[in-house]
Amino acid sequence: MCAKINISTSTNICNHILWDWDRDYYTSEDAIRMIAEGGYDSIDLDLAFWRQQEDPMAGKNWRQWLDRQIQTAGEVGLPMTQGHAHFYNVEHCERLSQEEQAHRDQAILRDIEAAGLCGIRWLVVHPQSYCDEVYYSPKLSLEKNLEMFRRLGDAAAKHGVGIAIENMFIRTMPKFGASSDDLIELVDLLGDDKLFGICWDTGHGNLNRVDQAAAVRQMGKRLVCLHVNDNKEQWDDHILPYQGTIQWEKFMKALGQIGYQGEFTYEIHNFSKGFDAGFHQEAVTFARKLGQYMVTLM
């Protein structure tokens, strides 16, 4: 086994209960306290969830909301080490207007500033996919992503934040970043391993039916953080490991083989939101215990 791997989780583990999608049962501050109570080592602050139109990261008072997160994390004694930036849910290729693209850039730039204020080391950002006049274009997608991440990288360097580019999953049309090859080429061309790395989402990998252990070995030191979750190869379920079809022993062994130095970070909001408030904390705590077992497989 490698050196101690911290067990972390996204704050979205505590958003809803009993599949009630119409209201947020827990605040982000509640989530931080429950994560601490569950015995986790660190926090993945989900900025994307709080980036909807009426939510605090989209408004003029975002700094006050962020200050509350920083204060709460300080009170419970947990560092915020990872975060998730704003993204659009685009089914196939990006066909954003200039106004939409500018809004997206400004949203992510604000998240980068927020991550810097929180002391977050790696902020996860989605790559984009582009079509030419015919179909999905890997060449155009690589070109546009290089442009975007170079812009974002300038801001990230200023705020002391690294950008972790996440693997995507395919529904029908191919998407840029669905393969480890895409991410490796992009990160290598960006050419700064202190500023850019890869976040591997295991659920996305499973939907693409890739050999995830082989992908880990291929990415090697470029792999800087994880979104650990499972599914049954039909939907992006974001459930707890061993509830789906991922071969976890092989995946964890591969992490050990590359000497993975990042954190074991859950993104399992659809596991926990099925529980009543009276059992939600138990579910969050159980997930941490499972994570502690899983890192022994490295």
Side-chain angles (χ1 to χ4, degrees):
M1 180 179 168
C2 299
K4 181 182 184 297
I5 300 294
N6 285 342
I7 310 300
S8 179
T9 185
S10 170
T11 48
N12 67 22
I13 198 172
C14 302
N15 289 342
H16 306 286
I17 60 169
L18 298 177
W19 302 99
D20 184 356
W21 297 93
D22 295 328
R23 67 190 181 104
D24 303 328
Y25 188 88
Y26 298 110
T27 66
S28 184
E29 298 96 298
D30 290 335
I32 291 171
R33 294 187 187 98
M34 293 180 73
I35 290 166
E37 179 68 22
Y40 290 80
D41 300 304
S42 55
I43 297 165
D44 173 2
L45 183 63
D46 185 4
L47 296 166
F49 180 83
W50 297 99
R51 203 59 182 74
Q52 308 306 313
Q53 186 174 1
E54 303 299 325
D55 286 329
M57 280 303 294
K60 64 181 180 180
N61 296 321
W62 67 273
R63 285 290 299 271
Q64 289 94 317
W65 177 84
L66 191 72
D67 286 343
R68 293 199 301 273
Q69 312 316 306
I70 295 170
Q71 179 180 349
T72 305
E75 289 170 356
V76 301
L78 287 185
M80 291 185 280
T81 54
Q82 191 170 313
H84 201 311
H86 171 74
F87 61 93
Y88 284 118
N89 287 312
V90 177
E91 181 67 22
H92 301 307
C93 286
E94 303 282 15
R95 300 189 185 277
L96 304 179
S97 67
Q98 288 185 339
E99 182 180 0
E100 288 171 326
Q101 184 64 61
H103 174 266
R104 176 181 176 143
D105 281 359
Q106 287 304 311
I108 297 175
L109 288 171
R110 176 176 288 185
D111 290 342
I112 288 171
E113 182 179 355
L117 292 168
C118 292
I120 287 171
R121 175 66 185 95
W122 291 108
L123 181 68
V124 175
V125 179
H126 289 188
Q128 298 178 221
S129 299
Y130 290 88
C131 292
D132 57 20
E133 64 275 13
V134 178
Y135 191 60
Y136 164 72
S137 171
K139 180 180 178 181
L140 181 61
S141 294
L142 178 61
E143 175 186 318
K144 293 287 189 180
N145 277 283
L146 281 169
E147 292 175 2
M148 179 181 75
F149 282 107
R150 283 170 178 151
R151 290 197 306 272
L152 298 178
D154 290 340
K158 176 182 175 182
H159 292 287
V161 177
I163 294 178
I165 306 169
E166 183 175 0
N167 61 311
M168 297 290 94
F169 67 92
I170 297 170
R171 289 192 186 276
T172 53
M173 185 178 289
K175 294 193 77 172
F176 184 82
S179 73
S180 48
D181 278 343
D182 284 350
L183 299 176
I184 289 168
E185 183 177 17
L186 177 58
V187 167
D188 286 354
L189 286 171
L190 289 167
D192 187 339
D193 60 5
K194 297 288 190 269
L195 191 56
F196 297 103
I198 296 172
C199 173
W200 188 259
D201 186 304
T202 57
H204 294 176
N206 200 43
L207 286 170
N208 293 339
R209 293 174 170 81
V210 305
D211 185 328
Q212 301 204 65
V216 165
R217 291 190 291 270
Q218 188 181 49
M219 291 181 288
K221 298 299 183 182
R222 304 173 188 85
L223 180 62
V224 296
C225 60
L226 300 169
H227 282 168
V228 178
N229 60 93
D230 211 335
N231 60 56
K232 298 178 181 179
E233 303 176 45
Q234 298 297 317
W235 306 103
D236 195 19
D237 296 319
H238 286 278
I239 52 179
L240 194 67
Y242 296 102
Q243 291 187 311
T245 59
I246 294 175
Q247 297 181 358
W248 288 104
E249 288 74 12
K250 292 182 178 180
F251 179 80
M252 298 305 297
K253 183 179 179 181
L255 290 178
Q257 289 170 338
I258 67 167
Y260 176 69
Q261 298 297 308
E263 301 191 336
F264 182 92
T265 303
Y266 282 127
E267 198 178 56
I268 52 170
H269 40 287
N270 286 337
F271 158 71
S272 54
K273 70 175 51 168
F275 292 99
D276 180 83
F279 199 76
H280 196 100
Q281 180 67 69
E282 292 290 337
V284 171
T285 302
F286 172 76
R288 186 266 303 166
K289 292 178 179 179
L290 179 61
Q292 285 183 318
Y293 161 75
M294 291 179 69
V295 298
T296 68
L297 302 175
M298 292 174 62

